[in-house]
């Protein structure tokens, strides 16, 4: 070849774009989605017969909900402000333009529910007048009147879906991440759709297939989530279908066939099935992605998904009822870097300190680029999981020669309810030792030099990075904490109000568990934090507030520790602005390279 092109700059990995949410118009002529195509998140649309996107909004803010009016007259959308997660509700015409405020209350958070079939009533959830448990409202768009339908109690209470005849609706109460129940509200009565709401279990997704029939995914008296049925009139509950080793996490009705689409998760990947309750027929669909973020089924029976893979950024795909294959509606990719040049992780498993089996993803660079260094990445959540989805940061780092080890330590999701509960009341012992066991396993089995290990994590992963640094500093060369919890005592009081009811089960009680809180708080181990540190924080973060990072940075500096601190004034719990994401990751890479 005559021309030799230079190696791609690391910024290329961040010149791909993300999709937060999408919706399909009822006539399926328009697709609208929230993307940072312009550098900031805005709503863009695409006419199905043209396949070229055009902007609808210029708010430069993240989207937290998106629904069409059934007659294609308007769209309801929710936006926050610079990552504060206090979403406000607006209406806009399908062709875009000026936003019409529907529910805008400073300092409150609104969650989009559903529109009535005639488009007149908007069902939604809000923190207003009940910050701890939330309320469910119905707003009349014509009369501009607001009606309180249900005052939340016991746990964060959110609207789920409306019955076909609009005479009942489903709501979810969140008591803990491993205890969330669904209820049907009809004629002023609220009834659990599982036999005993006091038994710890989850109900994550539910649909009406008729005015009396509800199908849903639950872990009621089981470890993995299965498909169940509830009859509204009789109150009868029944288990319908379980898929061994998998959790059904989402149920969608297919009105055209009378069937259901079942989205299941198993460890680091997802699967998708079509199920006919009448004949008990279950068929698996081939997927063009490894992880599904959203499923939509239209009245005509067409299927749309938002999905991604380890080397594939988020994209929207369509599977028509008469199609044989998925059709990509968007084509977000990493410019200048083919997928085969990116790192496809290996899935490994190892035994932890007590014999618990842990699964992990191991990303490796091309052998010619490998610098021999490993980055341990404890994921956030903690009741979440590292999965085979695209992370621009991971691909950038492997491209630059770093290996990445991402364990799904105890408490991670997608391995059963019992495994997920193992982190509750134990944020700093079992999961910490699972991460140490991951490093030891890599040293023993993958020819890793124990003197070439870095540590980086965000959110709970940032907490774990701080705790591992404080308790096991000799394992690491340097540490990066991205909006991590530093002090359990301050954390449990600073979270959003509707999180507070779950904190005792999730983390513990600062009075009753004072000794454990002290033992598991990273700030207890300041004197042992001897390695160079880089701390990153969003000023508007509502989950892990800035004070969590401030206090540990301030005290480390008093100890004359080497610590770099970066505060992003226009971000919350993550990076909503492309310019921030690119600049922060450049600084992360520079920090790592400086300590090779």
């Amino acid at each position: 070849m005559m021309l030799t092109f230079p190696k791609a700059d690391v910024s290329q990995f961040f010149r791909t774009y993300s999709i937060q949410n999408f919706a399909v118009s009822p006539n399926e002529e328009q697709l609208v989605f929230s993307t940072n195509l312009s550098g900031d998140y805005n709503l863009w649309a695409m006419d199905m017969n043209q396949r070229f996107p055009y902007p609808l909004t210029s708010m430069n803010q993240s989207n937290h909900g998106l629904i069409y009016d059934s007659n294609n007259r308007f769209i309801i959308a929710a936006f926050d402000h610079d990552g504060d997660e206090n979403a406000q509700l607006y209406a806009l015409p399908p062709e875009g333009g000026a936003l019409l405020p529907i529910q805008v209350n400073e300092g409150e958070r609104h969650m989009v529910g559903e529109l009535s079939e005639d488009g007149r009533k908007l069902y939604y959830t809000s923190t207003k007048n009940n910050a701890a448990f939330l309320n469910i409202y119905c707003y009349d768009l014509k009369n501009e009147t607001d009606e309180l339908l249900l005052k939340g109690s016991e746990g964060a209470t959110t609207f789920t879906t409306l019955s076909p005849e609009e005479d009942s609706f489903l709501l979810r109460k969140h008591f803990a991440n491993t205890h969330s129940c669904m209820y049907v509200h009809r004629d002023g009565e609220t009834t659990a759709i599982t036999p005993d709401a006091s038994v710890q279990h989850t109900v994550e997704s539910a649909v009406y297939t008729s005015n009396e029939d509800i199908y849903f995914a639950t872990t009621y008296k089981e470890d993995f989530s299965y498909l169940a049925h509830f009859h509204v009139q009789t109150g009868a509950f029944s288990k319908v279908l379980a898929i061994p080793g998998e959790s059904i996490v989402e149920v969608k009705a297919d009105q055209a066939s009378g069937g259901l689409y079942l989205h299941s998760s198993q460890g680091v990947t997802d699967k998708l099935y079509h199920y006919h309750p009448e004949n008990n027929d279950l068929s698996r669909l081939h997927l063009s992605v490894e992880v599904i973020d959203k499923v939509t089924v239209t009245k005509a029976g067409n299927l749309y998904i938002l999905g991604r893979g380890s080397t594939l950024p988020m994209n929207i795909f369509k599977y028509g009822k008469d199609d044989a294959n998925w059709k990509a509606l968007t084509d977000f990719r990493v410019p200048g870097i083919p997928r085969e040049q990116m790192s496809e992780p290996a899935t490994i498993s190892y035994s932890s300190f007590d014999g618990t089996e842990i699964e992990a993803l191991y990303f490796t660079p091309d052998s010619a680029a490998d610098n021999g260094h490993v980055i341990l990445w404890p994921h956030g959540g903690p009741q979440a999981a590292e999965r085979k989805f695209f992370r621009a940061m991971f691909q950038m780092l492997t491209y630059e020669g770093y290996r990445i080890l991402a364990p799904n330590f105890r408490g991670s999701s997608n391995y059963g309810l019992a495994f997920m509960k193992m982190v509750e009341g134990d944020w700093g012992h079992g999961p910490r030792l699972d991460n140490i066991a991951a490093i030891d396993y890599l040293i023993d089995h993958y020819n890793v030099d124990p003197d070439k290990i870095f540590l980086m994590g965000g959110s709970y992963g940032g907490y774990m990075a701080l705790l591992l640094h404080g308790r096991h500093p000799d394992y690491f060369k340097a540490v990066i904490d991205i909006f991590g919890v530093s002090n359990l005592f301050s954390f449990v009081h600073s979270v959003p109000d509707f999180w507070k009811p779950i904190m005792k089960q999730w983390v513990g009680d600062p009075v009753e568990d004072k000794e454990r809180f002290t033992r598991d708080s990273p700030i207890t181990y300041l004197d042992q934090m001897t390695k160079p540190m880089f701390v990153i924080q969003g000023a508007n973060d509502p989950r892990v507030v800035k004070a969590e990072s401030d206090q540990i940075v301030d005290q480390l500096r008093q100890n004359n520790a080497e610590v770099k601190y970066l505060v992003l004034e226009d971000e919350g719990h993550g990076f909503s602005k492309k310019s921030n994401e690119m600049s922060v990751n450049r600084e992360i890479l520079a920090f790592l390279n400086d300590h090779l």
Side-chain angles (χ1 to χ4, degrees):
M1 184 175 178
M2 291 177 58
L3 302 177
T4 302
F5 294 100
K7 180 182 177 181
D9 182 76
V10 295
S11 65
Q12 292 299 105
F13 291 98
F14 301 96
R15 295 192 186 281
T16 189
Y17 301 98
S18 185
I19 300 172
Q20 291 180 320
N21 197 4
F22 80 94
V24 182
S25 65
N27 59 14
E28 296 191 59
E29 293 180 359
Q30 187 187 46
L31 173 73
V32 62
F33 51 104
S34 174
T35 178
N36 55 357
L37 192 59
S38 63
D40 297 297
Y41 282 104
N42 280 294
L43 294 186
W44 290 68
M46 187 172 68
D47 295 332
M48 295 293 196
N49 61 351
Q50 293 188 13
R51 297 282 309 280
F52 190 85
Y54 49 90
L56 297 187
T57 67
S58 55
M59 288 188 72
N60 298 339
Q61 300 296 344
S62 291
N63 177 263
H64 292 262
L66 199 58
I67 50 173
Y68 272 94
D69 162 55
S70 62
N71 295 303
N72 299 286
R73 295 169 296 183
F74 59 88
I75 298 166
I76 299 291
F79 302 97
D80 73 357
H81 180 72
D82 287 349
D84 67 3
E85 299 184 13
N86 286 332
Q88 310 297 326
L89 306 184
Y90 301 86
L92 70 155
E95 59 271 17
L99 297 177
L100 177 66
I102 299 297
Q103 287 294 320
V104 177
N105 308 94
E106 186 176 350
E108 303 291 356
R109 182 179 309 200
H110 309 298
M111 304 168 196
V112 176
E114 199 168 324
L115 281 164
S116 58
E117 184 65 22
D118 62 9
R120 177 169 174 169
K121 294 179 179 180
L122 172 65
Y123 296 82
Y124 71 98
T125 304
S126 178
T127 59
K128 62 184 181 182
N129 304 315
N130 193 0
F133 300 118
L134 315 180
N135 289 333
I136 296 174
Y137 293 90
C138 179
Y139 182 74
D140 189 311
L141 295 169
K142 183 177 180 180
N143 295 333
E144 300 183 359
T145 55
D146 211 22
E147 179 187 359
L148 173 64
L149 297 182
L150 187 74
K151 185 177 178 64
S153 61
E154 303 174 288
T157 304
T158 54
F159 176 91
T160 302
T161 191
L162 191 62
S163 68
E165 295 179 15
E166 302 183 13
D167 59 351
S168 71
F169 62 86
L170 291 175
L171 61 102
R172 181 170 175 255
K173 289 195 176 187
H174 187 79
F175 306 111
N177 292 340
T178 55
H179 186 196
S180 59
C181 298
M182 200 81 76
Y183 301 78
V184 60
H185 185 77
R186 189 179 194 179
D187 297 330
E189 298 285 330
T190 302
T191 306
I193 63 174
T194 46
D196 185 354
S198 67
V199 174
Q200 294 229 347
H201 65 280
T202 60
V203 181
E204 297 297 335
S205 177
V207 295
Y208 285 91
T209 56
S210 75
N211 216 51
E212 301 296 335
D213 295 288
I214 298 168
Y215 284 89
F216 58 102
T218 183
T219 54
Y220 182 73
K221 292 192 174 180
E222 296 287 349
D223 197 28
F224 289 86
S225 186
Y226 57 90
L227 181 68
H229 173 263
F230 179 80
H231 192 269
V232 176
Q233 187 65 37
T234 65
F237 165 90
S238 60
K239 182 176 179 179
V240 177
L241 172 74
I243 305 174
E246 299 177 31
S247 283
I248 299 172
V249 295
E250 189 175 15
V251 182
K252 293 289 183 178
D254 178 15
Q255 297 179 27
S257 71
L260 300 166
Y261 282 103
L262 308 178
H263 165 201
S264 81
S265 291
Q266 183 178 36
V268 297
T269 58
D270 287 341
K271 295 177 183 176
L272 188 63
Y273 298 88
H274 193 268
Y275 177 67
H276 281 281
E278 286 189 7
N279 56 20
N280 200 35
D281 179 52
L282 180 71
S283 58
R284 182 179 168 189
L285 281 71
H286 167 75
L287 285 173
S288 53
V289 297
E290 292 168 294
V291 173
I292 299 170
D293 292 276
K294 183 174 182 177
V295 179
T296 292
V297 187
T298 65
K299 288 183 178 180
N302 296 315
L303 182 64
Y304 296 80
I305 64 169
L306 174 62
R308 47 187 165 158
S310 299
T311 60
L312 177 70
M314 277 190 178
N315 279 286
I316 301 170
F317 300 83
K318 177 185 177 182
Y319 192 93
K321 60 182 180 180
D322 300 319
D323 293 341
N325 296 296
W326 291 94
K327 176 183 179 183
L329 300 181
T330 58
D331 191 17
F332 288 156
R333 60 178 79 179
V334 178
I337 304 174
R339 289 184 68 180
E340 57 268 20
Q341 291 183 17
M342 290 186 271
S343 179
E344 183 65 42
T347 304
I348 63 176
S349 64
Y350 62 93
S351 293
S352 191
F353 68 99
D354 59 355
T356 301
E357 283 297 306
I358 307 293
E359 192 169 67
L361 290 176
Y362 185 40
F363 295 78
T364 56
D366 181 82
S367 58
D370 194 342
N371 62 26
H373 285 71
V374 173
I375 300 167
L376 175 68
W377 172 266
H379 65 72
Q383 290 164 316
E386 195 59 42
R387 316 197 71 215
K388 286 193 172 184
F389 45 54
F390 180 81
R391 281 191 188 271
M393 179 176 66
F394 281 17
Q395 295 300 334
M396 176 267 287
L397 290 170
T398 55
Y399 192 73
E400 289 295 306
Y402 293 92
R403 307 176 195 179
I404 299 170
L405 176 63
N408 281 332
F409 44 82
R410 69 191 66 204
S412 299
S413 57
N414 300 318
Y415 297 93
L417 192 66
F419 189 85
M420 191 174 173
K421 290 181 76 69
M422 291 175 79
V423 75
E424 293 178 343
D426 179 20
W427 271 40
H429 178 69
R432 171 174 56 86
L433 296 180
D434 289 345
N435 278 282
I436 292 298
I439 300 173
D440 290 338
Y441 181 83
L442 217 59
I443 292 169
D444 293 341
H445 293 84
Y446 284 85
N447 195 32
V448 168
D449 186 337
D451 294 324
K452 294 183 176 180
I453 299 171
F454 289 103
L455 173 60
M456 175 169 62
S459 193
Y460 176 87
Y463 158 82
M464 185 53 64
L466 292 171
L467 188 64
L468 287 168
H469 185 194
R471 301 203 63 173
H472 308 273
D474 293 342
Y475 272 86
F476 309 106
K477 294 186 73 171
V479 179
I480 300 173
D481 157 36
I482 309 170
F483 37 82
V485 174
S486 66
N487 186 336
L488 294 181
F489 290 98
S490 55
F491 171 67
V492 296
H493 294 299
S494 64
V495 296
D497 286 339
F498 64 91
W499 283 30
K500 290 177 180 175
I502 77 168
M503 298 307 286
K504 185 170 184 177
Q505 177 169 328
W506 195 31
V507 186
D509 183 273
V511 176
E512 296 175 10
D513 303 311
K514 181 179 179 180
E515 183 179 340
R516 181 170 59 77
F517 268 45
T518 302
R519 186 173 62 246
D520 289 348
S521 287
I523 205 161
T524 302
Y525 306 98
L526 288 166
D527 290 343
Q528 290 100 292
M529 294 185 185
T530 56
K531 301 302 172 69
M533 281 191 64
F534 184 15
V535 177
I536 301 162
Q537 177 69 46
N540 302 320
D541 192 336
R543 306 184 193 191
V544 181
V545 298
K546 181 174 173 287
E548 286 297 311
S549 293
D550 285 347
Q551 60 184 297
I552 202 156
V553 168
D554 290 345
Q555 294 193 44
L556 283 169
R557 285 177 171 169
Q558 290 177 26
N559 287 358
N560 296 315
E562 181 183 341
V563 56
K564 176 181 179 179
Y565 190 26
L566 174 63
V567 177
L568 301 162
E569 297 296 337
D570 55 353
E571 293 287 10
H573 199 69
F575 307 117
S576 63
K577 294 169 174 57
K578 182 59 67 174
S579 59
N580 287 335
E581 182 187 26
M582 292 175 69
S583 63
V584 168
N585 278 278
R586 278 192 177 279
E587 294 201 42
I588 286 172
L589 180 61
F591 177 83
L592 293 169
N593 288 343
D594 285 346
H595 294 92
L596 279 176

